[in-house]
Amino acid sequence: MIRKTRFLFLFIFISIISGLIFSSQTVYANTASEPEKVRVGYYENEVFEDGASENAVKNGYAYEYYRKLTEYTGWEYDYVYGSFVEVYDMLLKGEVDVVAGLAYTDDRQGLILYPDRPMGAENYSLVKHESDNNITTMMTTLNGKKIGVLDSAILDALREYLSTNHVEANVIVFNDYEALFSAFDKKEIDLMAAETDGTYGRNHAEILTAFGSSDYYLCVNKDRPDLLSELNDAQEQLYIEDPNYVSLLREKYFAMSLSSRAFTQREKEWLRNNHELRIGYLNNYLPYSNTDKDGNVEGIVTDIVPEILNTLGINSLNVSFIGFDSYDDMTLALTDNNIDVAFPVGGGLFYSEEDGLNLSNPVSSSITNLIYSGKYVSSSNTDFAVNENNRMQYYYIKLHYPDATVSFYPSTEACLNAVATGNAKCTTLNGLRTNDILKNRAYRNLSFRQLSYSDNRCFGVRIGNEGLLKLFNRGIDIVGQDFATNLAYQYSVKLYHYSVIDGIVDNLWIITIMATIIVILLLILFLRDKNRAALTIREKEAARSVMEDANNSKTHFLTKLSEDMHNSVEGIVSNVNMAYQHVEEENAVAFLGRVNKSCEHLLWLIDDINDLSNVENGRFLGHNQNVNFRQFINDLKNSSDKNINDTINRYNFKGSRVLIVDRLKDIQVSAAKIMKRVGFEVQIATDGTEAVDIINAAPAGYFDCVLIDIQAPNTEGYEVCRQIRNLDESDKASIPIVAVTADVFRNLNEVSI
């Protein structure tokens, strides 16, 4: 049973969801279809409907209302133009579908369809020329006057009013508004019965009296109940979503209307009796007001007062500004009649009455912000820091947080510092001031949250001065709150003074990174220079070491030569003495042979010394006991490319072996080629160490000559010569050595042989 019940509920649930999906798909299909065309009867009526001709830019209260309805109906409009009477007649005939601005009358009830909600309300007024002093509020002054009126519901209201007041006037009926307004402006009629909100302000016009009012509607042709149903649904939905739409639309378009421009008797009386307007303002309260460093007034007050007077066409007043450091001093000056207007004031009706002043309509309305440090303060009985010179802040807190405690400080900055240091829990700032004040570095740790209560900033006028209050209210309504709000940003920037220190703090991470990079670069450059210096020192040390090794090798070589020469000379002397002693004997010949051999060895040593000297002077080296080979090298070096072959052919060392010691392959090849050409058998060693090893390994007397690059690698040329001369086997130690530079055979390599 339980399973069946669950199944039934599941089935019902699925059915409901399917129905909703199907319904939504159906609605979507309908909304995606072609929009319905609706014919609009459109007539010219200044503020209400403007641009009643082809290609004209449309504007006005009714036009914007039409456009708003399309958000709910999806209608697409075809505009049909004509005068008011013409489009109304088209509505009756079914030639248009809707017409705006029609008042309800019993006669029209059966002719057109009225929706449930009106699109606005209108007052009817009699308007006269300002300069016509013969017409007053006394009804008898209207007798015999020409009164122009539109052929509409206003006509019926006018006739009823005149009849009730027993006025015999000449009523002239017009078919459209343009003709009516033109006749009034040209003074072809004495008075005009008009919709005071639907008519532009006229400097020469003055409202005499109101004689009626009515709601007006967007009416539908009687044959289109389908449109009426859609219109009712749309208006109802608009009201649910935006109940203030009509009032806001009225404020937008009717601020410049006739009623907003026509002064009352109290206003005219104030203007007649006053030629000066003294504006008191609060210092240190930008963007609203302040005195700059040069003593001049600045802030919204300097712009909005001239704008109000200019809008109202008032140019006869001498305006002056007086600054006050304290709100209490300013309001006291107002009640003592030392100033005419105070700005800004606020705090609500009760506290303004306590201060003896009336508040004007709001110049601006902004959200107040709660300023706190650390955790958000939500309790209504917390401790507030309040600027003792700004009574508006105190009024706001006492009005909305009656249980809170208040601590007074001498300025806004002092209040913020108290919150930042924990001496107070919170404070408040006007919404137009918050963002720029908190940009200051001292308040970066403070947070703010918007409160639910807005705070108005108004002009203050002394109680009893109704004429001036009405003038300011009229001007504020025309100018609008957007004027002050737009100006606020121009002056708020002065609340925040960005210093060099702020820039450093805000960009500290960038500065740190850049400084780190610079330090690293300097360190890299320092280490590079240090390494270069160390490398230079090492290179110099290496060169010095090489030079010392060379000098040591030379010293060892010369020492060895000196010892050998000394031994050879001693041998010669000894053998000569022995020969003298045994001159008569056969041994004398042997002693003389030893002398001869010692002499030859001494010549070898002398030739080695000479070769060493030539090596150091960069000249050709090659003196040894083999005169032919030495001469061959000299001749070969000095031969030209033309006679080099003749030079080579003059010598033949067939069967002789030579060991060539050089590190360069091209030198090895060139030298071997030349040596082989003259009959030498050639063996190659790439450095001095290898040469010494080859000589040691070869049998005694194997090599007839060693041809060595004095700059041979691994073992320097001098050292190789010394090692060869110090070999244990005398035959190997006495091998003829020809020491050359690489340039010798490089030059020979360039000669064609």
Side-chain angles (χ1 to χ4, degrees):
M1 181 66 180
I2 294 176
R3 290 182 178 178
K4 290 182 179 180
T5 303
R6 289 178 178 174
F7 177 78
L8 178 60
F9 283 145
L10 180 60
F11 176 77
I12 294 173
F13 177 76
I14 293 174
S15 299
I16 293 172
I17 296 299
S18 300
L20 290 174
I21 295 173
F22 177 76
S23 175
S24 63
Q25 290 175 341
T26 303
V27 172
Y28 178 81
N30 288 337
T31 57
S33 62
E34 288 294 323
E36 184 174 6
K37 294 292 183 71
V38 175
R39 298 168 298 175
V40 175
Y42 200 88
Y43 57 93
E44 191 72 36
N45 182 12
E46 290 193 335
V47 185
F48 190 71
E49 279 188 352
D50 198 11
S53 62
E54 290 292 343
N55 301 321
V57 176
K58 294 175 178 55
N59 191 26
Y61 182 101
Y63 177 72
E64 187 164 334
Y65 192 80
Y66 282 131
R67 299 303 307 153
K68 186 66 176 179
L69 290 178
T70 61
E71 298 178 15
Y72 303 93
T73 62
W75 292 346
E76 184 177 308
Y77 299 122
D78 283 335
Y79 297 98
V80 182
Y81 306 107
S83 67
F84 174 79
V85 174
E86 288 171 343
V87 298
Y88 178 69
D89 188 53
M90 293 178 191
L91 181 65
L92 297 178
K93 294 178 180 179
E95 295 174 357
V96 296
D97 300 313
V98 294
V99 173
L102 298 178
Y104 178 85
T105 65
D106 293 335
D107 295 340
R108 292 174 177 172
Q109 176 59 39
L111 301 177
I112 55 178
L113 300 177
Y114 286 89
D116 297 334
R117 290 185 178 277
M119 64 181 295
E122 184 59 272
N123 294 320
Y124 304 145
S125 298
L126 281 175
V127 182
K128 76 178 189 69
H129 297 287
E130 186 178 28
S131 60
D132 190 351
N133 296 323
N134 295 323
I135 300 176
T136 67
T137 54
M138 295 181 62
M139 291 296 100
T140 56
T141 61
L142 300 181
N143 288 325
K145 301 299 182 181
K146 296 178 182 179
I147 303 176
V149 64
L150 186 68
D151 187 6
S152 64
I154 304 177
L155 177 59
D156 296 334
L158 176 63
R159 284 174 174 167
E160 182 179 353
Y161 176 77
L162 295 176
S163 175
T164 302
N165 289 280
H166 309 290
V167 174
E168 296 291 335
N170 183 13
V171 177
I172 301 174
V173 180
F174 293 84
N175 289 332
D176 61 75
Y177 282 99
E178 285 188 337
L180 172 63
F181 298 148
S182 177
F184 180 80
D185 293 339
K186 294 177 181 179
K187 295 187 177 181
E188 295 173 353
I189 55 178
D190 301 306
L191 297 102
M192 174 176 62
E195 300 164 341
T196 50
D197 281 343
T199 307
Y200 278 129
R202 285 169 164 76
N203 294 330
H204 60 275
E206 178 182 331
I207 295 178
L208 181 65
T209 184
F211 64 86
S213 64
S214 67
D215 292 332
Y216 53 88
Y217 297 83
L218 177 60
C219 292
V220 181
N221 175 261
K222 63 183 179 61
D223 296 327
R224 295 298 307 271
D226 56 322
L227 288 184
L228 179 64
S229 177
E230 293 179 28
L231 176 59
N232 281 329
D233 291 343
Q235 288 181 323
E236 185 66 25
Q237 191 64 30
L238 173 59
Y239 179 77
I240 293 172
E241 294 181 5
D242 192 356
N244 297 319
Y245 177 77
V246 170
S247 61
L248 293 175
L249 195 62
R250 178 187 178 88
E251 180 181 343
K252 176 178 180 180
Y253 284 100
F254 295 156
M256 300 291 290
S257 67
L258 183 62
S259 61
S260 67
R261 298 282 189 147
F263 296 155
T264 64
Q265 288 299 120
R266 290 293 183 91
E267 293 170 280
K268 291 179 181 180
E269 183 180 346
W270 191 93
L271 289 172
R272 282 196 301 268
N273 297 331
N274 293 274
H275 302 286
E276 183 182 15
L277 180 62
R278 299 164 299 174
I279 308 293
Y281 65 90
L282 186 63
N283 282 325
N284 303 312
Y285 202 62
L286 287 175
Y288 298 100
S289 56
N290 185 42
T291 301
D292 66 16
K293 62 181 180 180
D294 298 322
N296 301 316
V297 58
E298 62 179 346
I300 293 173
V301 66
T302 62
D303 298 284
I304 195 168
V305 171
E307 183 68 16
I308 287 174
L309 298 178
N310 182 64
T311 298
L312 296 177
I314 300 173
N315 52 22
S316 60
L317 294 175
N318 180 25
V319 181
S320 60
F321 294 91
I322 304 170
F324 295 88
D325 293 330
S326 166
Y327 184 89
D328 292 339
D329 291 343
M330 182 175 66
T331 56
L332 181 62
L334 182 66
T335 56
D336 288 346
N337 204 29
N338 294 324
I339 58 175
D340 302 303
V341 178
F343 181 81
V345 296
L349 295 176
F350 174 77
Y351 290 109
S352 64
E353 183 181 14
E354 293 286 305
D355 289 333
L357 56 89
N358 283 325
L359 300 177
S360 72
N361 294 339
V363 172
S364 70
S365 181
S366 62
I367 296 296
T368 297
N369 293 309
L370 183 73
I371 313 301
Y372 59 95
S373 178
K375 189 177 180 180
Y376 171 60
V377 179
S378 58
S379 176
S380 61
N381 60 355
T382 188
D383 177 34
F384 280 86
V386 174
N387 181 0
E388 61 188 8
N389 294 310
N390 184 358
R391 187 65 62 176
M392 292 179 289
Q393 184 184 19
Y394 172 77
Y395 292 157
Y396 181 90
I397 293 171
K398 296 306 293 182
L399 182 63
H400 300 293
Y401 299 93
D403 297 329
T405 58
V406 172
S407 299
F408 288 101
Y409 293 87
S411 65
T412 298
E413 291 74 16
C415 292
L416 294 170
N417 290 332
V419 176
T421 57
N423 293 326
K425 292 294 184 182
C426 58
T427 188
T428 60
L429 283 175
N430 180 272
L432 295 182
R433 291 161 50 84
T434 303
N435 288 331
D436 290 284
I437 289 179
L438 294 187
K439 286 180 181 177
N440 287 281
R441 185 167 55 88
Y443 312 132
R444 298 287 173 85
N445 294 328
L446 297 180
S447 303
F448 73 92
R449 177 168 293 195
Q450 290 185 342
L451 298 174
S452 55
Y453 312 108
S454 62
D455 200 10
N456 296 330
R457 292 293 175 261
C458 310
F459 285 101
V461 178
R462 180 172 48 85
I463 293 176
N465 196 357
E466 297 90 40
L468 181 58
L469 178 63
K470 288 184 179 295
L471 284 172
F472 267 85
N473 281 340
R474 188 183 302 278
I476 292 168
D477 287 344
I478 296 173
V479 172
Q481 289 190 20
D482 288 345
F483 182 84
T485 303
N486 293 334
L487 285 172
Y489 300 104
Q490 175 182 339
Y491 296 104
S492 294
V493 294
K494 295 187 177 182
L495 293 169
Y496 173 44
H497 305 288
Y498 198 81
S499 64
V500 175
I501 296 176
D502 291 331
I504 293 173
V505 173
D506 290 343
N507 300 285
L508 187 60
W509 65 276
I510 297 178
I511 296 173
T512 302
I513 292 175
M514 293 181 64
T516 303
I517 293 174
I518 292 173
V519 170
I520 292 173
L521 289 176
L522 292 175
L523 183 60
I524 291 173
L525 292 175
F526 171 76
L527 293 176
R528 186 197 66 179
D529 292 342
K530 183 177 181 181
N531 291 335
R532 286 181 176 177
L535 179 61
T536 302
I537 292 173
R538 287 196 298 270
E539 289 175 348
K540 289 181 178 179
E541 289 291 334
R544 185 173 62 82
S545 178
V546 170
M547 185 177 296
E548 288 178 354
D549 290 342
N551 288 333
N552 290 335
S553 298
K554 186 194 301 182
T555 300
H556 292 316
F557 180 66
L558 292 176
T559 301
K560 180 63 177 175
L561 288 177
S562 177
E563 291 176 354
D564 287 349
M565 290 175 67
H566 183 269
N567 292 335
S568 296
V569 171
E570 284 185 347
I572 292 171
V573 172
S574 175
N575 284 294
V576 168
N577 290 332
M578 292 297 294
Y580 277 120
Q581 295 176 7
H582 301 281
V583 67
E584 300 294 335
E585 301 177 6
E586 294 180 359
N587 290 336
V589 176
F591 288 125
L592 291 175
R594 292 175 183 172
V595 170
N596 182 55
K597 188 173 182 179
S598 295
C599 288
E600 289 178 354
H601 186 63
L602 183 60
L603 288 174
W604 268 85
L605 296 176
I606 293 172
D607 284 341
D608 285 342
I609 294 172
N610 187 45
D611 289 344
L612 179 62
S613 176
N614 287 332
V615 167
E616 290 180 339
N617 292 329
R619 296 194 300 270
F620 166 74
L621 305 175
H623 293 286
N624 52 53
Q625 72 182 77
N626 192 331
V627 178
N628 287 335
F629 183 71
R630 183 187 63 189
Q631 188 63 40
F632 166 69
I633 294 298
N634 272 321
D635 290 347
L636 190 63
K637 176 186 174 186
N638 296 321
S639 296
S640 65
D641 56 347
K642 293 181 179 180
N643 59 12
I644 190 168
N645 288 327
D646 295 336
T647 301
I648 291 173
N649 292 331
R650 287 202 306 269
Y651 298 90
N652 191 322
F653 297 89
K654 186 179 175 92
S656 299
R657 297 184 182 90
V658 63
L659 176 63
I660 298 175
V661 185
D662 200 288
R663 69 185 184 280
L664 300 176
K665 187 70 175 179
D666 57 339
I667 301 300
Q668 295 173 5
V669 172
S670 299
K673 189 174 182 180
I674 295 171
M675 296 300 102
K676 289 179 180 179
R677 183 80 173 273
V678 296
F680 278 104
E681 293 180 10
V682 177
Q683 192 166 343
I684 303 296
T686 58
D687 56 42
T689 302
E690 185 180 359
V692 173
D693 291 341
I694 290 174
I695 293 172
N696 268 328
Y702 182 80
F703 289 105
D704 298 293
C705 180
V706 176
L707 186 62
I708 185 171
D709 180 1
I710 200 63
Q711 297 174 348
N714 293 341
T715 302
E716 199 266 343
Y718 297 121
E719 178 63 17
V720 176
C721 295
R722 187 186 67 79
Q723 290 181 11
I724 293 174
R725 290 292 181 254
N726 288 336
L727 291 176
D728 294 334
E729 299 181 49
S730 59
D731 289 339
K732 294 180 179 181
S734 60
I735 295 175
I737 300 174
V738 178
V740 298
T741 64
D743 290 335
V744 173
F745 288 108
R746 184 175 289 109
N747 293 335
L748 293 177
N749 191 35
E750 295 172 356
V751 180
S752 175
I753 57 174

